[in-house]
Amino acid sequence: MSVLKAILWFLVRLPLLLMILFLSLVMSSCTMLGLNYASLEVDNKAAPSPAIDVPVLVNSSEARADLMEQFEDILYGPWPEGMPVKWGEARIVSEDILDGKGVLKEIPVTVGQGEGASTFMLVLALPKGDGPFPVVINETFSSNCSVFPEYPVTSPDGGVCDGSQMDGVVGSLVTKMFGEYIAYAPLDRFMDAGIAYASFYGSDFVPDSREQGPAVMAALGGPIQPTSTLMAWAYGFTAAIDALQAETPIDPDGIAVMGHSRFGKSALIAGVWDRRIDAVIAHQSGFAGASLSRSKTGEGLARMAKTYPHWLSQDIQPWLGHLDELPVDQHELLALLAPTPVLLGNGRRDVWSDPNSSFRAALAASAMYEAAGQEGLPAGGMQQAFEPSAGIAWWLRPGGHSIVSEDIDSFIAFLQTHLQAPSRKVTAVQARENHVDSVR
Ligand code: GCU
């Protein structure tokens, strides 16, 4: 009887217990659904280390190459330099999108050689007119079917898309949680801004899977294979740029790459290793992206590397127990990116990706941008940091891990200042060319 009573007692309280468990999970920083806020306090934390030696990194090509090599050796594995890229003829998906604002095309892009070469579909929306148009290349979590649900683009299995993953109850819940644009491409906004929009599904190239990802990378062929999916996805941007060179309305000096979260990490990597990139948008890139590996808040590099071992090189594993001794940290990745303009997007409730340490990383790298004649981060802390014209633009909005309308506004403002306004554009392109010359 007493056992039965105890079971009943437990069953009656079960919903309450589950609710408490759920709320404590949600409110802790251990989940990407965090309802708590990122701290705005930066003065009470240690400066990012190792310190950046700005004059050396600006003037010495060896110092730059050494630092890139350290990131390859420890975190990302080798950049697959020389991996063959081929692309097929563009197919017109729709001659007229958004009441005549643009044209939608699709280009098959193949990376690697031999039987293991991998092909993905690059979808390209071009504004109507002669151009040249700057372009932003977005690498996505969702298949092209969910990104372009209104158009007959090719599905990952080679057929024509029939519905989006965002249809139905689950899809609408995902959209509520992760934002209107977590999958859906805001084509109208980009076409109105005169910016071409290219997009591909990262897993269409190298699957985001701890089993299949490494197998696909190893089979790619080519002189050097990537050993982390973050590096491979970064090379996906490079392959997309190669294919876009054949599209004459695209301005070759107006190429931006963009990614959210895991693909934000890859967008930053691409900007460092492929200097044809003129601007980078890394939204909520978190650990192994713009957030410091030594940070004690948020997801943490160690947890990320355990949950997603295929994202990083296996050489990170021995460091996970003593990240304070890691020879590199992510402010140095941002320093390597300079003077290529970068927008780092953040949500105040996205504690998981650690906005606070991303801000400290940006603050430390800002001097590299200033050394190249770009605007650095404005003074005034995290809430006053956003200046679209800065070389390093740091954006904070309320809310969590998502892509919402105001993010798109900030992305477009940033791209317009850096890739369209003639005077800024010349300065930015020139600054990077001077820099590349100085480190040759
Ligand atoms: C997970 C992961 C993060 C990553 C995120 C994303 O939450 O822990 O590191 O940034 O997925 O890609 O959305």
Side-chain angles (χ1 to χ4, degrees):
M1 185 63 182
S2 63
V3 174
L4 198 63
K5 250 186 170 172
I7 293 175
L8 270 177
W9 182 93
F10 182 73
L11 282 181
V12 167
R13 282 158 187 84
L14 188 62
L16 184 68
L17 291 174
L18 285 176
M19 178 78 92
I20 292 173
L21 179 71
F22 175 73
L23 280 180
S24 50
L25 262 178
V26 166
M27 295 186 74
S28 82
S29 60
C30 299
T31 142
M32 54 189 300
L33 300 175
L35 289 181
N36 51 350
Y37 294 92
S39 161
L40 299 174
E41 196 68 59
V42 288
D43 296 336
N44 59 352
K45 300 187 180 67
S49 116
I52 299 167
D53 191 335
V54 175
V56 168
L57 204 53
V58 167
N59 294 312
S60 154
S61 50
E62 286 94 85
R64 185 182 160 78
D66 283 353
L67 189 52
M68 287 168 71
E69 209 175 302
Q70 282 190 313
F71 274 103
E72 290 183 314
D73 289 349
I74 297 167
L75 221 54
Y76 303 126
W79 172 250
E81 183 72 44
M83 171 78 70
V85 178
K86 290 195 202 97
W87 56 95
E89 214 170 293
R91 172 180 83 88
I92 306 276
V93 177
S94 172
E95 199 57 81
D96 238 337
I97 59 167
L98 305 161
D99 296 327
K101 284 185 187 172
V103 178
L104 198 71
K105 300 181 176 188
E106 207 178 48
I107 308 165
V109 182
T110 301
V111 181
Q113 64 196 29
E115 284 190 1
S118 173
T119 298
F120 64 86
M121 272 300 174
L122 181 68
V123 179
L124 171 65
L126 279 168
K128 280 275 168 81
D130 295 333
F133 302 109
V135 64
V136 62
I137 308 169
N138 189 19
E139 189 163 357
T140 66
F141 287 86
S142 311
S143 80
N144 292 344
C145 305
S146 305
V147 178
F148 302 97
E150 287 136 29
Y151 303 103
V153 292
T154 304
S155 67
D157 62 13
V160 176
C161 291
D162 177 21
S164 148
Q165 288 165 316
M166 299 299 146
D167 292 342
V169 180
V170 176
S172 76
L173 264 177
V174 170
T175 313
K176 288 258 162 352
M177 260 162 68
F178 297 108
E180 196 182 339
Y181 297 112
I182 194 65
Y184 187 61
L187 286 186
D188 52 341
R189 311 273 283 278
F190 282 89
M191 295 304 100
D192 286 345
I195 300 171
Y197 189 93
S199 177
F200 67 102
Y201 173 37
S203 282
D204 210 5
F205 167 34
V206 169
D208 186 5
S209 135
R210 62 166 81 188
E211 289 84 28
Q212 290 167 44
V216 168
M217 292 190 289
L220 282 174
I224 303 168
Q225 287 90 44
T227 56
S228 73
T229 59
L230 290 185
M231 196 51 127
W233 293 328
Y235 199 78
F237 283 116
T238 285
I241 296 170
D242 286 353
L244 290 175
Q245 308 277 312
E247 290 293 316
T248 43
I250 298 288
D251 177 358
D253 284 332
I255 294 181
V257 296
M258 159 165 125
H260 178 223
S261 215
R262 65 201 69 180
F263 296 108
K265 308 178 205 286
S266 288
L268 292 171
I269 299 170
V272 172
W273 270 267
D274 187 339
R275 299 305 262 176
R276 294 173 301 175
I277 293 169
D278 300 287
V280 174
I281 297 173
H283 186 53
Q284 305 183 318
S285 62
F287 290 85
S291 299
L292 296 169
S293 305
R294 283 169 175 69
S295 172
K296 308 286 181 246
T297 47
E299 175 182 24
L301 187 72
R303 186 168 13 198
M304 195 199 91
K306 283 187 188 130
T307 323
Y308 306 97
H310 53 294
W311 287 3
L312 294 171
S313 148
Q314 289 314 297
D315 293 322
I316 189 63
Q317 295 293 336
W319 293 98
L320 297 182
H322 44 107
L323 288 172
D324 280 342
E325 290 156 38
L326 209 60
V328 289
D329 209 337
Q330 300 306 108
H331 58 303
E332 296 178 288
L333 187 74
L334 301 180
L336 285 170
L337 185 56
T340 303
V342 61
L343 168 62
L344 303 170
N346 296 272
R348 183 80 199 280
R349 283 185 153 150
D350 180 25
V351 181
W352 185 247
S353 82
D354 203 19
N356 186 286
S357 84
S358 132
F359 182 73
R360 288 182 287 126
L363 210 52
S366 184
M368 282 292 293
Y369 282 85
E370 283 163 9
Q374 300 247 31
E375 274 170 66
L377 275 189
M382 288 164 71
Q383 280 166 314
Q384 266 85 50
F386 186 56
E387 177 48 68
S389 62
I392 183 155
W394 196 89
W395 157 249
L396 180 69
R397 56 141 169 85
H401 198 70
S402 51
I403 311 181
V404 298
S405 187
E406 54 188 313
D407 294 325
I408 306 296
D409 292 339
S410 77
F411 300 169
I412 290 179
F414 167 78
L415 293 174
Q416 282 183 319
T417 31
H418 289 284
L419 302 183
Q420 276 178 330
S423 58
R424 280 243 23 116
K425 187 178 144 178
V426 168
T427 323
V429 171
Q430 200 55 57
R432 202 177 56 263
E433 274 164 11
N434 292 344
H435 178 72
V436 171
D437 284 347
S438 77
V439 296
R440 249 184 210 134

